[in-house]
Amino acid sequence: MRLELVKRPQRSMLFSMLSPFIAFALTIIAGAIMFAFLGVNPATALFTYFISPITEVWQIHELAIKAAPLILIAVGLSICYRANIWNIGAEGQFVFGAIIGSIVPVLYPELQGPFVLPMMLLMGMVGGALYAGIPAFLKARFGTNEILTSLMLVYVAQLFLDWMVRGPWRDPKGFNFPQTVQFNSSAVLPELMPMSGRANLGFVFALIAAVLVWFMMSRMLKGFEVRVLGSSPRAGRFAGFSLNRMVFFAFMLSGALAGLAGISEVSGAIGQLQPSISPGYGFTAIIVAFLGRLNPLGIVAAGLVLGLTYLGGEAAQSVLGISDKVARVFQGMLLFFVLGCDTLIHYRIRLVGLGASKPQVAAKLEEAR
Amino acid sequence: MSLQENAVNLLEVRGLTKIFGSLKACDHIDLAIAKGEIHALLGENGAGKSTLVKMLFGSLEPNAGDIFWNGQKVGIPNPGAAKKLGIGMVFQHFSLFEALTAAENIALSLDDGAPIGTIAAKARALSYSYGLPLDPDSLVGDLSVGERQRIEIIRCLLQTPQLIILDEPTSVLTPQEADKLFETLERLRSEGKSILYISHRLEEVKRMCDRATVLRHGKVVGHCNPREETAASLARMMVGNEVHAVVRQPVEGIEKAQSLLEVVNLNRQPATPFSIPLKNINLSVRAGEVIGIAGVAGNGQGEFFEAVSGEVLQNDTASVRIRGKNAGGLSITGRRLLGAAFVPEERLGHGAAPRMKLSENLLLSRHATDGKMFVGAGGMVNSSSIYSAAQRIIEVMDVRKSAPDPEAAALSGGNLQKFIVGRELDRKPSVMVVNQPTWGVDAGAAAHIRQALIELARSGSAVLVISQDLDELFEISDSIAVMHHGELSKPMPIAEATFEKVGLLMGGAETGHPEHAAEVA
């Protein structure tokens, strides 16, 4: 007996829809096994992990806070990945956008008024876009591998932020803690429903970005260009589209969205710059993008699921006393199973006995007719 | 060898079947090859010839059926087993490393670990004894296609096979090179070796082969003696019905017509170590005429197409002129806007994006030229008008498909080609450049495409056709030029052109390659 992959003549719409759900189910099963090995009752653990974090209204707000940056970043990444451009450095663009967006509230805290916040957001986007422009330039000009350059620039951005908050931007009245001044009230992202929880405007940005990018990808010539260049670059060149321009477009647009996520996180959830401002949103967003089938609307749902793994990790730590690294394990398993299940879209799995028996062959012949 | 053994066939195949998904590529094939015969396997592209021989050579596993070798039932699980039995194969697409020498390439396929010097000496001796002179120390990258084929043949012969399978061996050869190959094959036959000869060229099958098996849609439709058939009757067996001949009315007063496409002193440096530089190409295509460019594959046709289409720009803007305007510095979009249309050689991945629908593939080449109709304000794609335009093309070109708007990869090669050609014809371009218009297209569809190209020219457009198929070029061209090593000969009016003359040019005569000229003479 062996398994055989048989190519489907057309991609399967059914499995295109089902594959994320199958992947999620497999992740739950593998997670249950993992909890059993950790010596916790899998049922309680899964309940603590996936259900208890969303049983109260304020917790839903927390989920929105976690999901917003994931969705914003993943929507941008989906453009890159559709164009077959591998931006792995959204974490760095997130951080750099946060730094540039924080220039106004950190250096000019006396500036106040309704114009401050839009200016910060815009600067955050520009910062993220410019930082993403570095790997884009290196790829377009020298043919460097963007996976390596964008990834390495993540560490540069993180260490730069670390140095800024310990050095030049440290709050002079902050008892030597490595952090900047608290942003003043006009530099803080407003909360949506302050009565029931902390969720802020960032989640609205994420939804708007998802809808706009969905519209661009499915209805506009630009989206067509992205898809053609991504799926068959030579046909794209024949169509008169430029791959180099696409590299800049995809990188800088996704960088801008990551930068927006960065400055939103800092001005919304945190309120100041610290040595670390992200629990790996830029990397987790890669999983979100693929779990959402690189479709901006699917990404909204996927972002909420992955946001839940962060909350579940915190809950598992406080209630069950297991490491919050469990969240990373779940995220990793989810990506693994999503990519694995995607095989089903293009292939059927068939069990083949050694030396297929005659009736089977006859059945195949019948089917082929 | 005993009498009894002589009576059985060398190879016999019964009920061999191979299924890919829902397609039966081979359906209960029966075939027998006697010792010392040249057996032709005839069929159109997609008839199942390649699938059948891949099963015989062990690269594919049959779903059903038996193979008998010298009367013994055998299984051929992999090419190694086939070689052990005594089956050798020369593939249509060569598997040679261009950066290695001929001898090194041969050594790679032998597993006896003999020193390279011994192999080179053996290869040299064998090649001369069969009249296929080959220098084992030359780099494959420097060799012509015909010479590369010799390496493949020698490599196969070194394993002393009883049965040699040749997959479309002459499709890459000049007529003179092909003649040389036929002599070798006849020698092999006289030594008692069997040859399975795959081709869709009927004349050469009639000339050489003792028996023929004809395939159509994966089934055997007949066995015959090709010498007793006419080319027309063989074609009927292959295609299943009569193929309409293409009609080409001669044009008058073409000398006075305006040149719509001009190529002036076009040069191009090779982009990679193994691509062909273009040297000083001059050509002018006038309104109303079809000019054909013949040549053995890999002599710069691909490079020429890229330069003319604008996928690669020229430094000298006057080196390509479309409708009297300098276009050398314009992108492919700019050249399309001047009225030119292009059909590249590769269908999937170049002329069309495989995983996109036909309607999206229509947008691929026409988003700029038909911008008003297909793309609305703010870059919005107008899906419904694209869809209806795609359906119109599908109807005009008789594209057969399984769904209203399928992915390009779901179409057969011929049907996709009809769509791609139709997509450009639908624009009524004033300049049309086509590379390999009917490669891999069945005879009926090929005739349709050729007729459409002639009609486009007669309606006042300039048509340039690059092809390796001489029959096709003689059918549709008003003049034929030949490309060899990146140089283009002067176009020859069709009335003066003969296979002989064009063949000599394809082999490099007259364009300054004395060694090749001497070889084919």
Side-chain angles (χ1 to χ4, degrees):
Chain A
M1 290 285 275
R2 64 191 158 90
L3 289 170
E4 199 174 75
L5 290 177
V6 186
K7 196 151 175 46
R8 298 175 190 274
Q10 295 255 2
R11 52 179 295 157
S12 157
M13 284 312 287
L14 178 70
F15 278 99
S16 208
M17 307 290 284
L18 277 184
S19 129
F21 295 98
I22 301 174
F24 191 69
L26 289 171
T27 306
I28 297 288
I29 295 169
I33 296 171
M34 177 184 73
F35 283 129
F37 276 119
L38 285 171
V40 213
N41 179 351
T44 7
L46 286 175
F47 179 82
T48 316
Y49 199 92
F50 285 108
I51 311 291
S52 71
I54 45 169
T55 41
E56 286 176 53
V57 177
W58 68 268
Q59 288 176 312
I60 306 286
H61 279 262
E62 291 302 309
L63 181 60
I65 287 179
K66 290 277 190 268
L70 290 176
I71 295 170
L72 261 179
I73 301 170
V75 161
L77 290 182
S78 74
I79 303 168
C80 287
Y81 298 162
R82 280 293 187 93
N84 208 14
I85 293 165
W86 299 95
N87 179 4
I88 308 295
E91 181 82 358
Q93 293 140 27
F94 178 95
V95 168
F96 205 76
I99 295 173
I100 300 296
S102 301
I103 289 177
V104 174
V106 171
L107 295 185
Y108 309 99
E110 67 281 4
L111 271 181
Q112 305 228 356
F115 63 91
V116 172
L117 193 63
M119 196 157 81
M120 286 166 62
L121 297 174
L122 195 68
M123 286 171 72
M125 291 175 78
V126 170
L130 289 179
Y131 203 63
I134 300 172
F137 172 77
L138 293 174
K139 181 179 172 65
R141 181 72 182 78
F142 302 109
T144 42
N145 184 325
E146 74 275 22
I147 297 178
L148 295 179
T149 50
S150 64
L151 179 62
M152 290 192 291
L153 283 166
V154 170
Y155 307 111
V156 175
Q158 286 174 339
L159 292 171
F160 181 64
L161 171 66
D162 194 84
W163 174 73
M164 288 296 274
V165 295
R166 288 174 203 277
W169 281 11
R170 189 174 52 192
D171 182 3
K173 295 175 209 140
F175 307 103
N176 250 348
F177 279 110
Q179 57 196 27
T180 63
V181 291
Q182 281 283 343
F183 292 0
N184 64 49
S185 60
S186 61
V188 168
L189 211 56
E191 291 177 355
L192 290 174
M193 285 173 278
M195 306 303 292
S196 57
R198 298 199 304 137
N200 57 42
L201 216 49
F203 192 66
V204 177
F205 295 158
L207 294 181
I208 294 173
V211 171
L212 289 181
V213 170
W214 172 81
F215 187 80
M216 179 192 85
M217 290 300 287
S218 58
R219 297 290 144 88
M220 290 175 65
L221 189 62
K222 196 71 193 172
F224 177 73
E225 185 179 336
V226 171
R227 288 183 289 132
V228 172
L229 282 170
S231 64
S232 26
R234 203 148 173 238
R237 193 179 64 166
F238 180 69
F241 300 140
S242 155
L243 190 56
N244 275 353
R245 256 181 288 157
M246 179 51 62
V247 168
F248 277 101
F249 174 80
F251 252 110
M252 293 183 77
L253 184 51
S254 75
L257 289 173
L260 178 63
I263 187 60
S264 302
E265 178 75 6
V266 169
S267 90
I270 306 176
Q272 66 191 146
L273 280 178
Q274 308 165 346
S276 167
I277 54 170
S278 158
Y281 287 137
F283 295 116
T284 308
I286 297 171
I287 308 173
V288 174
F290 279 101
L291 187 64
R293 309 230 54 79
L294 301 184
N295 176 332
L297 302 183
I299 283 170
V300 173
L304 291 168
V305 171
L306 267 294
L308 185 56
T309 63
Y310 279 117
L311 296 180
E314 289 166 11
Q317 189 179 25
S318 59
V319 178
L320 303 171
I322 39 184
S323 162
D324 69 341
K325 291 284 183 290
V326 167
R328 291 293 181 86
V329 177
F330 265 103
Q331 293 168 359
M333 286 195 299
L334 200 49
L335 180 63
F336 175 83
F337 286 122
V338 167
L339 296 181
C341 289
D342 277 4
T343 312
L344 292 172
I345 298 172
H346 293 293
Y347 294 89
R348 275 187 302 133
I349 294 182
R350 200 174 64 180
L351 269 175
V352 187
L354 289 176
S357 58
K358 290 284 171 193
Q360 256 180 318
V361 172
K364 293 284 343 155
L365 291 176
E366 224 29 69
E367 189 185 313
R369 252 176 222 126
Chain B
M1 199 177 278
S2 74
L3 267 175
Q4 199 191 358
E5 268 184 287
N6 263 330
V8 298
N9 287 314
L10 179 66
L11 177 85
E12 214 176 311
V13 164
R14 287 186 209 139
L16 211 59
T17 300
K18 180 72 194 176
I19 300 167
F20 296 112
S22 61
L23 174 79
K24 275 198 224 179
C26 283
D27 186 3
H28 289 97
I29 303 281
D30 294 327
L31 173 73
I33 299 171
K35 291 199 174 91
E37 76 165 346
I38 301 184
H39 192 111
L41 191 57
L42 279 171
E44 292 197 291
N45 288 289
K49 296 170 299 189
S50 292
T51 308
L52 174 60
V53 296
K54 276 182 188 157
M55 289 192 284
L56 296 181
F57 195 60
S59 345
L60 282 177
E61 192 189 349
N63 293 86
D66 300 312
I67 301 172
F68 297 88
W69 180 257
N70 278 323
Q72 302 286 319
K73 188 174 164 183
V74 290
I76 307 178
N78 53 54
K83 282 180 196 163
K84 231 171 247 155
L85 282 178
I87 301 176
M89 176 138 183
V90 177
F91 286 94
Q92 185 178 7
H93 302 285
F94 306 149
S95 41
L96 297 171
F97 294 97
E98 296 195 326
L100 298 182
T101 67
E104 285 166 340
N105 268 290
I106 292 171
L108 278 172
S109 69
L110 306 173
D111 0 279
D112 54 2
I116 196 100
T118 321
I119 291 172
K122 267 208 241 167
R124 191 190 304 268
L126 198 65
S127 69
Y128 279 93
S129 77
Y130 280 101
L132 300 168
L134 175 72
D135 175 10
D137 300 321
S138 49
L139 271 185
V140 171
D142 299 335
L143 297 179
S144 73
V145 183
E147 289 167 316
R148 291 181 198 200
Q149 187 180 52
R150 285 180 197 170
I151 302 177
E152 291 270 4
I153 294 174
I154 299 293
R155 169 151 99 174
C156 175
L157 289 177
L158 272 175
Q159 292 159 352
T160 57
Q162 293 304 303
L163 172 66
I164 301 159
I165 304 172
L166 294 154
D167 193 356
E168 306 249 352
T170 55
S171 61
V172 292
L173 301 182
T174 64
Q176 287 82 358
E177 282 175 321
D179 282 342
K180 206 127 198 195
L181 175 69
F182 298 151
E183 282 170 28
T184 308
L185 295 185
E186 284 180 7
R187 244 200 88 188
L188 287 168
R189 166 166 60 186
S190 69
E191 290 172 6
K193 298 199 193 292
S194 307
I195 292 164
L196 182 59
Y197 189 88
I198 302 171
S199 183
H200 60 249
R201 295 194 176 174
L202 305 170
E203 287 303 332
E204 61 191 42
V205 167
K206 266 175 66 61
R207 170 176 159 190
M208 268 202 336
C209 299
D210 306 302
R211 282 198 297 158
T213 298
V214 184
L215 294 185
R216 188 164 76 224
H217 300 315
K219 290 198 173 88
V220 174
V221 290
H223 301 277
C224 63
N225 180 344
R227 296 201 178 94
E228 293 164 3
E229 303 284 333
T230 64
S233 68
L234 287 173
R236 216 164 24 242
M237 283 174 85
M238 272 167 61
V239 181
N241 52 24
E242 296 280 349
V243 174
H244 294 287
V246 170
V247 190
R248 189 178 60 86
Q249 305 287 347
V251 277
E252 292 184 7
I254 190 70
E255 297 77 20
K256 284 174 253 152
Q258 185 202 356
S259 276
L260 293 182
L261 174 68
E262 288 162 283
V263 179
V264 185
N265 295 330
L266 173 68
N267 286 289
R268 186 179 163 197
Q269 295 301 316
T272 68
F274 298 116
S275 63
I276 306 286
L278 299 178
K279 297 169 211 152
N280 233 357
I281 292 183
N282 284 288
L283 182 70
S284 150
V285 190
R286 285 172 291 227
E289 71 176 346
V290 179
I291 290 197
I293 295 186
V296 176
N299 269 292
Q301 293 97 326
E303 288 82 355
F304 177 68
F305 179 83
E306 282 182 337
V308 172
S309 69
E311 287 181 278
V312 173
L313 304 185
Q314 287 78 52
N315 294 328
D316 176 7
T317 59
S319 61
V320 175
R321 292 167 61 81
I322 294 171
R323 286 168 67 206
K325 297 202 176 64
N326 289 347
L330 293 180
S331 69
I332 187 165
T333 302
R335 295 185 198 194
R336 284 192 180 119
L337 288 171
L338 283 180
F342 309 97
V343 176
E345 176 178 3
E346 286 282 328
R347 289 185 278 266
L348 287 175
H350 193 177
R355 289 280 162 210
M356 290 197 157
K357 294 173 184 166
L358 288 186
S359 57
E360 292 177 296
N361 271 303
L362 171 63
L363 189 61
L364 188 77
S365 74
R366 292 179 54 182
H367 59 88
T369 51
D370 298 68
K372 279 215 185 76
M373 191 158 61
F374 293 157
V375 184
M380 286 260 299
V381 170
N382 187 347
S383 311
S384 63
S385 73
I386 294 171
Y387 182 83
S388 57
Q391 295 302 320
R392 182 179 71 223
I393 292 165
I394 286 167
E395 197 167 315
V396 170
M397 295 304 287
D398 186 26
V399 178
R400 311 217 178 123
K401 59 201 171 30
S402 51
D405 193 11
E407 286 178 359
L411 259 61
S412 75
N415 279 308
L416 182 57
Q417 184 71 1
K418 283 195 273 186
F419 181 80
I420 292 176
V421 173
R423 171 178 80 185
E424 308 302 335
L425 291 176
D426 185 61
R427 266 180 62 203
K428 309 216 167 27
S430 48
V431 174
M432 177 98 163
V433 183
V434 193
N435 194 0
Q436 306 295 351
T438 62
W439 178 82
V441 175
D442 66 78
H448 191 131
I449 290 173
R450 290 172 191 157
Q451 191 69 55
L453 289 174
I454 293 172
E455 277 160 21
L456 178 70
R458 295 302 179 261
S459 70
S461 303
V463 177
L464 181 61
V465 176
I466 304 169
S467 177
Q468 286 157 41
D469 185 343
L470 277 187
D471 296 316
E472 167 170 273
L473 290 177
F474 274 86
E475 216 171 280
I476 64 175
S477 309
D478 299 304
S479 306
I480 294 185
V482 176
M483 188 162 262
H484 180 77
H485 275 278
E487 291 179 60
L488 192 69
S489 74
K490 254 183 68 147
M492 213 187 298
I494 197 72
E496 297 166 21
T498 62
F499 266 61
E500 181 77 29
K501 281 190 199 166
V502 173
L504 281 172
L505 288 171
M506 283 165 71
E510 192 194 271
T511 45
H513 290 273
E515 75 277 24
H516 285 272
E519 196 181 288
V520 293

